Amino acid sequence: MNGASQPIAFLGPEGTFSEEALLAHMPAGRYHPFPYPSIRDVLKAVQGGEAPLGIVPIENSIEGSVILTLDSLAFGFDELHIVREVTFPVHQQLIARRPLDFERITKVISIPHAYGQCREFLSEHLDGVEHEPTDSTAEAVRRVSRVDRPWVAIGTRLAAEMYECVVVAPDIEDAQDNRTRFVFVSRDDAPQDSDETFKTSIVCGIDQDQPGSLLMILSEFAYRYVNLTKVESRPSKQGLGDYIFFIDMVGRSTDQPIAQALSCLGCKLNWLKVLGSYPT
């Protein structure tokens, strides 16, 4: 139906940081948030045409890269492109079904990244308490809301309100400026004609037996004065000691220095994939 609202896929259920980031940076047009149970399900929904856009977390200022997102974009979902980047402040809340003293808590439920962002608080106040992982912070809060036990979740204020829970300790993250970088993905490339600052992201593979491979990659950008903002290695899944590299740089893929560097690298490397060229 013409003019109908289209879904934007996000990591659900309702009340996750992904939904908060989406609501804070909703693209122009007729869209509505639609939750999916995992990051891979978000990406599958976009690649399969169920949603024109999806939003996934890719990096946190405390815990670093979201490995599931990186690996999914590198090793699958070849039809997807990063089309936009946003950063969002992340404040973790300790949430219970009802007011609860720390001494009575027997279990903390959340995603591993949330635990990692709150290590100091958990060590000081809940040392030795069982940790149970879930697929999202909102799912953790939903689980806590459904059982009459001294359990707590680490999650968002939005989730606490949605599932009629209470915040027993606010803002428990280890760093006040805790932020997560999210990316929007689409089957289509981002338009390159806006005046916004752009970033280009690639992933490439090298021959593990070729000395100086990484230096060769970095030199192509250095010679052309391309500003690299991130270089990160990940296992290639092809064998021990075999790695791939994720590289972010300032500029459009169509800018002459970047286009020339990528063209040269495409002739020298076993494998290179442009993940997207997009506004930040």
Side-chain angles (χ1 to χ4, degrees):
M1 181 172 63
N2 291 336
S5 177
Q6 295 180 292
I8 297 182
F10 71 91
L11 174 61
E14 290 84 355
T16 60
F17 286 108
S18 293
E19 184 182 21
E20 286 192 337
L22 173 57
L23 294 174
H25 299 279
M26 184 67 75
R30 294 179 59 82
Y31 294 108
H32 63 271
F34 195 91
Y36 284 83
S38 71
I39 288 174
R40 288 189 63 84
D41 286 323
V42 170
L43 300 177
K44 286 178 182 178
V46 179
Q47 181 155 287
E50 295 177 23
L53 288 170
I55 184 172
V56 289
I58 198 167
E59 186 177 13
N60 176 259
S61 59
I62 297 177
E63 279 295 281
S65 295
V66 180
I67 301 307
L68 180 56
T69 300
L70 287 184
D71 285 355
S72 296
L73 292 175
F75 300 117
F77 303 101
D78 290 338
E79 298 175 19
L80 296 186
H81 308 274
I82 299 174
V83 294
R84 187 182 176 197
E85 170 188 284
V86 298
T87 59
F88 189 73
V90 171
H91 298 294
Q92 301 284 5
Q93 317 298 318
L94 194 69
I95 298 167
R97 184 178 181 184
R98 57 176 61 92
L100 184 64
D101 294 333
F102 291 165
E103 293 77 12
R104 295 186 55 222
I105 295 172
T106 60
K107 182 182 289 189
V108 181
I109 306 174
S110 200
I111 60 174
H113 258 259
Y115 295 131
Q117 294 169 27
C118 307
R119 284 193 180 96
E120 293 180 11
F121 177 91
L122 295 175
S123 177
E124 180 178 353
H125 299 286
L126 298 173
D127 189 33
V129 174
E130 178 186 357
H131 292 181
E132 183 173 320
T134 58
D135 288 332
S136 72
T137 53
E139 175 59 28
V141 178
R142 184 164 67 176
R143 289 194 57 196
V144 164
S145 73
R146 293 178 173 179
V147 295
D148 190 16
R149 298 183 183 182
W151 294 356
V152 292
I154 300 173
T156 68
R157 286 188 179 275
L158 178 61
E161 294 170 1
M162 284 183 170
Y163 299 110
E164 299 182 342
C165 291
V166 297
V167 174
V168 296
D171 300 345
I172 65 172
E173 64 276 1
D174 294 340
Q176 290 184 344
D177 193 28
N178 185 26
R179 290 179 171 270
T180 294
R181 173 188 169 208
F182 293 86
V183 293
F184 286 85
V185 294
S186 172
R187 293 182 303 278
D188 300 318
D189 288 313
Q192 303 288 301
D193 55 358
S194 77
D195 294 330
E196 298 175 272
T197 300
F198 268 65
K199 178 183 286 185
T200 297
S201 296
I202 68 170
V203 58
C204 57
I206 62 176
D207 187 340
Q208 63 175 331
D209 296 324
Q210 181 181 345
S213 295
L214 180 57
L215 177 60
M216 178 268 293
I217 295 172
L218 299 180
S219 295
E220 293 291 347
F221 298 110
Y223 293 155
R224 296 171 175 85
Y225 297 98
V226 175
N227 182 19
L228 303 184
T229 59
K230 177 181 178 180
V231 178
E232 179 174 351
S233 64
R234 287 283 301 145
S236 70
K237 304 184 185 296
Q238 300 300 314
L240 191 64
D242 195 9
Y243 291 88
I244 61 173
F245 292 88
F246 292 87
I247 302 174
D248 292 346
M249 64 203 74
V250 177
R252 295 169 171 79
S253 61
T254 54
D255 293 344
Q256 187 175 23
I258 293 179
Q260 288 178 348
L262 296 181
S263 177
C264 289
L265 289 175
C267 297
K268 297 176 180 179
L269 298 176
N270 294 333
W271 171 62
L272 185 149
K273 179 180 180 182
V274 178
L275 300 176
S277 187
Y278 48 92
T280 65

